[in-house]
């Protein structure tokens, strides 16, 4: 899938959503899969994610402009405690459009990383060569697409904790601030998630559940959407275990 860069921006920063419970990043105005399905006849893009592991990327048929995406994050999400450092990357502001009028397959999330200090969520294809020249296209203040050799290679969400939402909420609050405490709790949750294994003994499973619930109790007093999303997700995980 070849793409081009343009200066038209159609995505609002409030429409960049991260749903931790389903580990999906949702970009654009569409609120559910029924609305995505309604766009299939009106857009070019990749739609296979609705039935498989592929991501859904949408471009309007008239101007071929990017209008949204549904990206399933690959797990485990790796916590990085150092600052993000991508060599040979040029930053541009604008958006993207496809070069050809056709549908395609797209997988942007072979790897997912959460940079604790920067509060950045990065998900990218295994085709991305981080040592060679790339372009970071800032589509909103917090949402970027990574392009290499005129192909989409991944996405980055800055201030990721402010884009973390409970299921059923479709826009972030524009005035939400980064909370370093929430970032630490998110990182702790991901580290615990890596320990889930079919071979855990009953004692180990109970201890792991206890650790999850300790994070739950720590975020329980707070009413910001990110805290609500984290504790809802923890309950889902503990129930599943």
């Amino acid at each position: 899938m070849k793409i081009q860069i343009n200066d038209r921006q159609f995505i609002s920063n409030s429409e960049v959503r991260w749903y931790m419970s389903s580990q999906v990043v949702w970009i654009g105005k569409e609120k559910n899969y029924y609305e995505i399905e309604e766009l299939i006849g009106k857009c070019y893009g990749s739609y296979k994610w609705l039935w498989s592991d592929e991501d859904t990327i949408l471009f309007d048929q008239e101007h071929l402009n990017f209008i949204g995406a549904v990206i399933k994050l690959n797990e485990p999400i790796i916590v990085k405690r150092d600052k993000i450092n991508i060599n040979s990357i040029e930053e541009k502001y604008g958006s993207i459009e496809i070069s050809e009028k056709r549908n395609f397959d797209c997988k942007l999330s072979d790897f997912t990383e959460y940079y604790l200090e920067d509060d950045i969520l990065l998900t990218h294809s295994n085709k991305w060569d981080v040592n060679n020249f790339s372009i970071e296209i800032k589509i909103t203040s917090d949402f970027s697409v990574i392009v290499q050799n005129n192909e989409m290679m991944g996405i980055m969400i800055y201030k990721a904790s402010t884009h973390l939402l409970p299921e059923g909420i479709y826009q972030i609050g524009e005035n939400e601030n980064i909370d370093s405490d929430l970032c630490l709790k998110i990182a702790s949750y991901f580290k615990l998630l890596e320990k889930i294994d079919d071979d855990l003994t009953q004692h180990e499973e109970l201890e792991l559940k206890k650790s999850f619930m300790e994070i739950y109790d720590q975020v329980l007093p707070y009413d910001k959407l990110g805290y609500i999303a984290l504790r809802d997700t923890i309950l889902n995980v503990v129930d599943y275990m």
Side-chain angles (χ1 to χ4, degrees):
M1 173 195 55
K2 297 296 183 180
I3 64 171
Q4 302 174 128
I5 303 170
N6 63 43
D7 58 2
R8 307 180 188 93
Q9 292 187 308
F10 300 94
I11 306 296
S12 164
N13 201 50
S14 65
E15 296 165 349
V16 179
R17 293 106 71 193
W18 173 20
Y19 297 113
M20 183 181 283
S21 61
S22 55
Q23 285 304 11
V24 169
V25 167
W26 199 292
I27 311 295
K29 296 175 175 55
E30 286 65 43
K31 300 179 178 65
N32 54 54
Y33 293 112
Y34 298 108
E35 294 185 9
I36 295 290
E37 288 176 337
E38 289 178 358
L39 288 176
I40 289 179
K42 305 173 185 176
C43 295
Y44 296 112
S46 169
Y47 304 108
K48 287 191 175 181
W49 188 85
L50 300 176
W51 302 277
S52 72
D53 290 333
E54 299 297 327
D55 297 313
T56 294
I57 316 292
L58 304 171
F59 295 85
D60 77 84
Q61 286 190 352
E62 184 177 1
H63 301 292
L64 308 183
N65 295 315
F66 173 76
I67 60 171
V70 184
I71 298 171
K72 177 70 172 178
L73 302 180
N74 193 60
E75 294 182 304
I77 294 179
I78 305 302
V79 175
K80 300 283 189 176
R81 297 190 177 274
D82 51 339
K83 280 186 167 292
I84 192 168
N85 182 20
I86 302 174
N87 297 323
S88 303
I89 194 161
E90 178 183 352
E91 186 179 274
K92 294 186 177 183
Y93 290 81
S95 190
I96 55 176
E97 61 187 44
I98 52 174
S99 300
E100 300 177 1
K101 296 182 176 181
R102 63 183 179 86
N103 293 324
F104 51 86
D105 295 339
C106 188
K107 187 74 165 68
L108 298 179
S109 53
D110 292 309
F111 302 99
T112 308
E113 300 163 345
Y114 177 67
Y115 287 82
L116 171 59
E117 189 171 343
D118 295 309
D119 194 23
I120 289 176
L121 185 71
L122 167 65
T123 183
H124 62 89
S125 166
N126 61 10
K127 296 191 299 182
W128 184 31
D129 185 350
V130 297
N131 295 312
N132 282 337
F133 178 74
S134 307
I135 300 173
E136 177 191 350
I137 303 166
K138 298 278 289 184
I139 292 180
T140 77
S141 59
D142 293 345
F143 171 61
S144 295
V145 170
I146 298 167
V147 174
Q148 188 172 66
N149 299 323
N150 296 321
E151 291 191 25
M152 290 181 71
M153 291 293 171
I155 66 166
M156 282 197 288
I157 299 179
Y158 295 81
K159 302 180 184 177
S161 63
T162 68
H163 294 269
L164 181 60
L165 294 176
E167 297 291 335
I169 304 296
Y170 305 120
Q171 286 193 327
I172 69 163
E174 290 287 7
N175 297 320
E176 292 279 338
N177 294 316
I178 295 176
D179 191 327
S180 59
D181 179 66
L182 176 57
C183 298
L184 287 168
K185 298 297 185 291
I186 291 171
S188 297
Y189 164 77
F190 286 141
K191 296 299 289 184
L192 289 178
L193 206 61
E194 290 182 41
K195 297 180 180 180
I196 295 179
D197 191 286
D198 291 337
D199 295 328
L200 290 175
T201 65
Q202 186 176 18
H203 174 72
E204 289 170 336
E205 185 176 302
L206 287 173
E207 288 298 308
L208 190 54
K209 285 183 178 180
K210 181 180 176 181
S211 297
F212 276 119
M213 292 309 297
E214 286 175 356
I215 300 175
Y216 177 88
D217 290 338
Q218 291 165 2
V219 302
L220 189 58
Y222 303 98
D223 59 1
K224 282 187 178 181
L225 292 174
Y227 285 100
I228 296 171
L230 178 55
R231 64 178 184 248
D232 287 353
T233 305
I234 289 172
L235 287 181
N236 288 339
V237 169
V238 171
D239 287 345
Y240 175 77
M241 292 174 67

